[in-house]
C-alpha cells in the first residue's frame, strides 16, 4: 500500500460522520498529536506481519473462550463474570518494575491452582479463586454493599502471593460498590438488562454504560476539548460479544463500530511492530518509568488506522474466508495477546499512568 493510500486512510476522517464518539475523539487527537505518529515507512510492514500471523493462527472470536481463565459457557454467570472483570480491568503494572524489571517476582501475583498469575490474568485468577472458595464475588447485589460482602472479604479475595497488593485496591472496591448499586437500583441487579435495553446496538449499550456508570466514563480534556476514550466500556461490550460469539446477549448489529482499546500494553506491541513511533521526549519518559498524566492515549487513533490498513489489505487480498471475522475487536485482542506473550522481550516499555480507566 503506497503512502498516498495510507495518507488517504489517515485523512479520511475529514469527511465522515462518526457513529462512535471515541473515533471522533481519536481523529481530533491525531490531527493534533505531537508525541505519537504513524511511521509511513513501517506501517505497511506492521500490517503485513499482523495480517499473516492472524491468518496463520486462524485467529478468531473463538479464541476468547479458549483462554484458560475465561468462562467456558456463555450464560448469565458469564455475563456477571465479564461485568466484574471489566469493571476492574485496569492498572496492573507494578511500581517495583522500575528497579527490578517487568518480570520481578515480588510484584502483585495471584496463586491459583498452583499457578502464578500477574497482570490482567491475576484479576481473572482472583475472581475464579473467589468463586471456588464460595465467595459470590460476581453477584452485583452482593458486591453492591458492605453488609453483603465487606471490604475485608474483598481484600481477602484479591490477596497476593507476594508482599505487594493489587494496585488501587480501594479504588476497585469503590468501583464495585458504585456499579453494584446502580445495577441493583436501575437494572434489576444484572448487566443483562443493560444489554436488553440496547436493542442489539453496541453504540446504544456504550451510551447506557457511560451515561449510568461513572467509573466507566473515561473522558479527558485534550487541547481544551473533551475527548471520549471509554476503554473499559468498550472492552466490556467486546468481551460480551466474544464470549457469546455474536449470538444471544452478544448479538450486536453494529459491533464493528467498536474501536480498539486504549490500554498500556497494545501500544508497546504496536511500537515494537513499527506501527507507532514516539518522540524522543515520550521515549525518555517511558524509559525512565516517568508517570504520564492521563491524556497520553494518543494511540487510539493509530490503532483505529492500523485496523483500517489491515482490513483494507485483507479486502485487497480477498482472503476474508481465512479470517472469518477481522474487526477492530479481534485485531485488538490479537495484538494484546501478542504483546502479553512478548512483554518481557519487547524493548520499549509501557507508558505509566495510574488510572482506574485502563
Ligand atoms: N487493548 C486491550 N487491552 C487489554 C486487553 C486485556 C485482556 N483481553 C483478553 C481477553 C481477550 C483477549 O484475547 C485477551 O486475551 C486487558 N487489557 C488491558 O491491558 C492492561 C493489562 O496488561 P497486563 O498488565 O500486561 O496484563 C490493562 O490496561 C488492561 O485493561 C485486550 O484484549 N485489549
Amino acid at each position: 500500500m503506497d503512502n498516498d493510500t495510507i495518507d488517504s486512510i489517515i485523512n479520511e476522517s475529514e469527511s465522515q460522520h462518526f457513529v462512535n464518539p471515541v473515533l471522533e475523539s481519536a481523529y481530533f487527537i491525531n490531527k493534533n498529536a505531537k508525541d505519537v505518529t504513524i511511521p509511513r515507512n513501517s506501517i505497511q510492514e506492521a500490517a503485513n506481519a499482523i495480517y499473516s500471523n492472524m491468518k496463520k493462527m486462524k485467529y478468531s472470536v473463538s479464541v476468547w473462550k479458549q483462554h484458560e481463565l475465561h468462562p467456558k459457557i456463555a450464560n448469565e454467570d458469564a455475563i456477571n463474570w465479564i461485568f466484574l472483570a471489566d469493571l476492574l480491568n485496569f492498572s496492573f503494572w507494578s511500581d517495583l518494575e522500575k528497579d527490578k524489571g517487568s518480570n520481578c517476582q515480588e510484584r502483585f501475583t495471584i496463586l491459583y491452582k498452583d499457578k502464578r498469575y500477574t497482570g490482567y490474568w491475576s484479576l481473572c485468577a482472583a475472581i475464579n479463586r473467589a468463586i471456588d472458595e464460595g465467595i459470590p464475588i460476581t453477584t452485583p447485589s452482593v458486591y453492591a454493599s458492605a453488609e453483603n460482602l465487606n471490604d475485608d472479604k474483598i481484600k481477602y479475595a484479591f490477596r497476593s502471593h507476594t508482599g505487594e497488593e493489587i494496585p488501587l485496591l480501594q479504588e476497585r472496591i469503590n468501583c464495585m460498590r458504585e456499579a453494584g448499586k446502580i445495577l441493583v437500583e436501575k437494572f434489576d441487579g444484572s448487566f443483562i438488562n443493560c444489554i436488553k435495553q440496547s436493542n442489539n446496538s453496541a453504540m446504544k449499550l456504550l451510551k447506557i454504560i457511560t451515561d449510568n456508570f461513572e467509573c466507566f466514563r473515561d473522558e479527558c480534556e485534550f487541547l481544551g476539548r473533551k475527548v471520549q476514550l471509554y476503554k473499559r466500556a468498550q472492552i466490556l461490550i467486546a468481551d460480551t460479544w466474544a464470549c457469546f460469539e455474536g449470538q444471544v446477549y452478544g448479538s450486536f448489529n453494529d459491533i464493528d463500530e467498536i474501536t480498539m482499546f486504549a490500554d498500556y500494553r497494545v501500544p508497546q506491541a504496536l511500537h515494537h511492530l513499527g506501527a507507532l513511533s514516539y518522540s524522543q521526549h515520550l521515549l525518555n519518559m517511558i524509559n525512565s518509568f516517568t508517570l504520564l498524566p492521563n491524556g497520553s492515549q494518543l494511540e487510539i487513533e493509530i490503532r483505529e488506522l492500523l485496523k483500517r490498513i489491515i482490513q483494507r489489505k485483507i479486502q485487497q487480498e480477498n482472503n476474508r474466508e481465512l479470517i472469518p471475522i477481522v474487526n477492530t475487536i479481534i485485531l485488538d485482542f490479537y495484538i494484546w495477546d501478542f504483546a502479553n506473550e512478548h512483554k518481557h522481550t519487547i524493548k520499549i516499555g509501557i507508558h505509566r499512568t495510574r488510572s482506574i480507566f485502563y
Side-chain angles (χ1 to χ4, degrees):
M1 192 181 294
D2 58 36
N3 278 348
D4 291 349
T5 312
I6 291 176
D7 284 334
S8 70
I9 295 171
I10 292 168
N11 301 318
E12 66 187 3
S13 66
E14 306 300 340
S15 53
Q16 66 178 336
H17 164 64
F18 293 100
V19 175
N20 188 336
V22 175
L23 192 51
E24 180 142 26
S25 300
Y27 276 104
F28 171 72
I29 291 172
N30 181 56
K31 264 170 60 174
N32 298 282
K34 58 179 179 48
D35 286 300
V36 179
T37 49
I38 298 177
R40 295 287 187 283
N41 59 340
S42 58
I43 184 82
Q44 182 59 65
E45 203 179 313
N48 289 342
I50 291 169
Y51 165 79
S52 51
N53 287 344
M54 287 181 78
K55 196 166 77 171
K56 213 182 300 166
M57 294 169 67
K58 291 194 172 49
Y59 195 92
S60 75
V61 66
S62 58
V63 167
W64 194 91
K65 281 207 283 293
Q66 290 161 17
H67 285 296
E68 61 171 324
L69 296 178
H70 280 171
K72 297 293 169 281
I73 302 167
N75 57 17
E76 182 158 350
D77 288 345
I79 292 282
N80 284 339
W81 189 99
I82 291 167
F83 185 86
L84 180 68
D86 285 323
L87 178 68
L88 304 178
N89 186 357
F90 56 82
S91 214
F92 302 106
W93 54 266
S94 166
D95 293 318
L96 302 175
E97 294 172 30
K98 180 169 185 175
D99 300 328
K100 300 182 175 182
S102 66
N103 208 11
C104 76
Q105 297 304 296
E106 298 87 340
R107 65 175 292 181
F108 168 70
T109 301
I110 292 285
L111 188 69
Y112 177 54
K113 294 187 176 172
D114 298 329
K115 214 172 147 185
R116 297 166 64 101
Y117 294 94
T118 59
Y120 165 78
W121 297 119
S122 68
L123 168 65
C124 299
I127 293 172
N128 292 352
R129 182 179 64 182
I131 293 167
D132 293 355
E133 291 173 344
I135 303 172
I137 195 166
T138 58
T139 308
S141 58
V142 168
Y143 60 75
S145 82
E147 291 67 53
N148 300 337
L149 187 69
N150 64 38
D151 288 10
D152 287 342
K153 197 76 173 168
I154 295 175
K155 286 175 185 165
Y156 175 77
F158 287 105
R159 65 190 183 280
S160 177
H161 182 58
T162 65
E164 187 187 46
E165 75 172 18
I166 188 169
L168 302 180
L169 178 55
Q170 190 51 53
E171 287 76 2
R172 294 179 203 272
I173 293 172
N174 300 344
C175 287
M176 292 168 79
R177 301 297 186 218
E178 177 209 309
K181 279 193 182 73
I182 290 163
L183 281 179
V184 167
E185 290 162 7
K186 300 178 79 172
F187 299 99
D188 198 20
S190 171
F191 181 60
I192 284 178
N193 294 316
C194 301
I195 297 170
K196 285 178 179 169
Q197 281 189 27
S198 77
N199 296 324
N200 299 104
S201 164
M203 290 300 104
K204 275 204 197 119
L205 184 53
L206 181 61
K207 190 163 176 13
I208 291 167
I209 296 165
T210 52
D211 281 354
N212 288 283
F213 300 89
E214 193 179 338
C215 61
F216 278 100
R217 198 179 306 139
D218 60 335
E219 302 170 338
C220 60
E221 201 165 283
F222 184 81
L223 298 182
R225 172 172 148 176
K226 186 164 87 168
V227 288
Q228 287 78 20
L229 304 162
Y230 294 167
K231 183 253 174 199
R232 287 197 291 105
Q234 291 203 104
I235 204 169
L236 170 55
I237 298 169
D239 283 342
T240 304
W241 170 79
C243 177
F244 284 80
E245 301 199 32
Q247 307 301 315
V248 193
Y249 296 125
S251 166
F252 300 106
N253 48 41
D254 56 351
I255 193 66
D256 284 0
E257 293 298 338
I258 294 286
T259 74
M260 292 175 88
F261 319 116
D263 74 310
Y264 55 80
R265 190 59 67 199
V266 168
Q268 190 185 31
L270 293 176
H271 189 278
H272 172 75
L273 291 165
L276 278 187
S277 55
Y278 293 157
S279 66
Q280 193 53 52
H281 166 63
L282 185 50
L283 278 173
N284 295 342
M285 292 183 84
I286 288 174
N287 294 334
S288 59
F289 288 77
T290 306
L291 271 183
L292 295 186
N294 245 321
S296 49
Q297 288 96 356
L298 304 179
E299 295 83 6
I300 299 176
E301 183 274 338
I302 309 288
R303 280 185 246 133
E304 180 50 32
L305 287 176
L306 187 67
K307 185 263 287 185
R308 271 177 170 57
I309 290 169
I310 289 175
Q311 281 198 314
R312 186 82 47 96
K313 181 157 180 56
I314 287 168
Q315 281 143 15
Q316 273 176 342
E317 303 203 13
N318 196 22
N319 284 345
R320 283 188 67 81
E321 68 282 2
L322 292 178
I323 310 181
I325 304 177
V326 175
N327 60 16
T328 313
I329 296 171
I330 297 299
L331 183 57
D332 177 283
F333 281 173
Y334 166 77
I335 297 175
W336 190 87
D337 286 340
F338 171 89
N340 213 268
E341 205 180 306
H342 300 84
K343 62 186 171 184
H344 301 312
T345 50
I346 291 177
K347 287 196 178 38
I348 183 82
I350 57 172
H351 69 271
R352 290 164 193 271
T353 302
R354 209 40 109 190
S355 161
I356 68 160
F357 291 127
Y358 71 104

